[in-house]
Amino acid sequence: MAVSSGSASSHGHGPPLNGTGESGGPAGSGVDPDELPDGLVVADEHGRIICFNTAAARITAVPRADALGRPLEQALPLEDLKGRRWWTLTDPYGGLAIRYGQPERNLLLPGGREVLVSARYIREHPTGPVRRVVVSLRGTEARRRTERSHAELIATVAHELRSPLTSVKGFTATLLAKWERFTDAQKRLMLETVDADANRVTRLIAELLDISRIDSGRLELRRQPVDIAAAVCRHIQAHTASGQDPDRFLVRIQQPLPDLWADPDKIDQILGNLLENAVRHGEGTVTIEVAAGAAKNDEKGTGVTVTDEGPGIPEESMSRVFTRFWRGSKRGGTGLGLYIVKGIVEAHGGTITVGRGAGGGAEFRFILPVGAPAYLK
């Protein structure tokens, strides 16, 4: 390992609405329905549409002019997934006087177009007649993307778990049934395989927990002083101890480095993933540079760059590198490592980028703000 150092208006479709669905409001607080991100449809006390915003027209593919003034059930002939007419089923104007609306549900428009619909019934007093029906419409694309992502995650996890668990089950069953038939060397080999596969399952479960915490914004950081240069050298020593040629690694530490406050376990996770990625998928010398750098808003930070001399990442794939299940090659891995790395870096308030190194290989660079506790600033 070589190391070097150096120094509002209605637009003709009804009045602006306030947060309750009624027109008007405090001076200057009117909201143009066309500014809303979701579809908004409002029907008057007679069930005729008086507001149909731009998002509603886009989501339903019904022109505004065709909807305004028409009965709600004609302009929006919604059906539930069992083919029942939704307005007949819910009967907002003639149903129970204690109802105040309908929760969001997945409904169908003519032609099978899916839409997420919720409704609010506006009454002058709790059990009075309905004066307005306010309907919110949302497209299903975002929910479908989330569902596909979850389904893909489950399928990947099931696939990744099947192989090591099959191995563990096979070897343990064999040892239990035929223990006396094997030599000590054979038993040791089987148990070492079981141990390695158990570690693989443990790593996968840890990755899933990390993804869950990142997606829900619950990734906890335990900040303390981190010597990132020493951490880099420690990871390289682990690679050389496992059989990698020490000459394959080149470390450049640009002193002085600012004091870094971060979660040391999470920093090890970042470095471990990036170095494993460079060793497994790259070629030639793996160069790691550590230097002071400017983080977000020109805050003092520490930057780490990991570069290899392999074929690099195709230009068209660079935008997908940090997404779930992206794999640079078919040489193993779950495709979750870089997604987790990005989540950890961003949880620290840092940034990470990918590009092409001077030697043509992949170059990953992350910058972390120093993150000193408030009492030290």
Side-chain angles (χ1 to χ4, degrees):
M1 175 180 66
V3 181
S4 65
S5 61
S7 70
S9 64
S10 64
H11 295 290
H13 52 78
L17 304 175
N18 64 20
T20 66
E22 301 290 351
S23 61
S29 66
V31 176
D32 185 343
D34 284 343
E35 296 175 352
L36 299 175
D38 294 336
L40 176 66
V41 180
V42 181
D44 63 13
E45 59 187 356
H46 303 295
R48 294 188 177 274
I49 293 177
I50 60 174
C51 176
F52 200 82
N53 73 348
T54 300
R58 184 190 74 248
I59 292 169
T60 63
V62 175
R64 177 185 296 162
D66 293 348
L68 290 174
R70 294 182 65 192
L72 193 56
E73 66 271 12
Q74 292 182 15
L76 289 177
L78 296 165
E79 295 182 351
D80 66 14
L81 300 182
K82 296 181 180 180
R84 298 174 296 186
R85 301 298 294 268
W86 194 61
W87 297 114
T88 302
L89 195 65
T90 58
D91 192 12
Y93 293 93
L96 292 174
I98 61 172
R99 291 187 305 173
Y100 59 88
Q102 293 290 333
E104 186 178 74
R105 63 189 62 197
N106 196 0
L107 298 175
L108 300 176
L109 286 165
R113 181 192 297 265
E114 293 188 21
V115 63
L116 297 170
V117 182
S118 58
R120 175 77 180 273
Y121 305 157
I122 308 300
R123 306 174 189 272
E124 292 181 352
H125 52 86
T127 58
V130 174
R131 296 302 182 187
R132 286 189 180 184
V133 174
V134 181
V135 181
S136 173
L137 305 173
R138 293 197 298 131
T140 60
E141 293 82 4
R143 178 174 291 187
R144 285 189 174 278
R145 284 195 297 270
T146 300
E147 290 173 350
R148 282 196 299 270
S149 178
H150 288 166
E152 192 173 359
L153 178 60
I154 292 171
T156 299
V157 170
H159 174 76
E160 293 294 330
L161 286 174
R162 183 183 296 116
S163 177
L165 290 178
T166 299
S167 172
V168 168
K169 177 62 178 174
F171 279 120
T172 54
T174 301
L175 285 172
L176 288 171
K178 303 176 182 179
W179 179 267
E180 297 81 5
R181 299 186 185 182
F182 297 107
T183 65
D184 288 345
Q186 290 172 324
K187 292 174 183 176
R188 183 178 183 83
L189 177 61
M190 290 184 184
L191 290 174
E192 287 175 345
T193 304
V194 169
D195 184 63
D197 285 332
N199 288 336
R200 182 176 164 189
V201 171
T202 301
R203 285 195 302 271
L204 180 58
I205 292 173
E207 287 182 343
L208 294 176
L209 290 173
D210 286 334
I211 288 175
S212 174
R213 294 177 182 129
I214 290 169
D215 288 348
S216 62
R218 295 185 294 106
L219 187 67
E220 295 182 0
L221 300 179
R222 295 176 173 82
R223 293 181 185 268
Q224 54 187 279
V226 174
D227 186 341
I228 197 164
V232 167
C233 293
R234 188 169 62 250
H235 278 272
I236 291 176
Q237 288 170 358
H239 278 283
T240 57
S242 64
Q244 290 292 328
D245 185 348
D247 292 335
R248 188 178 181 188
F249 300 96
L250 172 62
V251 179
R252 296 194 180 106
I253 310 294
Q254 297 295 326
Q255 299 287 357
L257 294 174
D259 294 332
L260 176 65
W261 283 72
D263 187 319
D265 292 336
K266 298 294 188 290
I267 297 301
D268 279 339
Q269 203 169 351
I270 294 170
L271 295 173
N273 270 290
L274 294 182
L275 284 170
E276 178 69 22
N277 186 74
V279 170
R280 176 181 292 181
H281 304 293
E283 298 173 4
T285 301
V286 176
T287 302
I288 304 94
E289 298 185 43
V290 183
K296 292 180 180 177
N297 302 320
D298 294 327
E299 185 179 358
K300 185 187 297 184
T302 300
V304 178
T305 306
V306 179
T307 311
D308 64 69
E309 297 176 338
I313 299 170
E315 197 72 30
E316 63 273 12
S317 297
M318 286 191 179
S319 62
R320 298 185 289 111
V321 165
F322 297 109
T323 59
R324 291 181 184 180
F325 312 119
W326 183 85
R327 293 181 175 89
S329 73
K330 297 181 180 179
R331 284 181 279 180
T334 61
L336 299 174
L338 292 177
Y339 177 84
I340 293 171
V341 164
K342 183 173 186 288
I344 294 174
V345 169
E346 292 180 346
H348 279 85
T351 58
I352 185 167
T353 57
V354 61
R356 188 171 294 278
E363 177 180 281
F364 289 89
R365 175 173 172 77
F366 68 91
I367 302 178
L368 301 177
V370 292
Y375 65 84
L376 292 179
K377 293 182 180 180

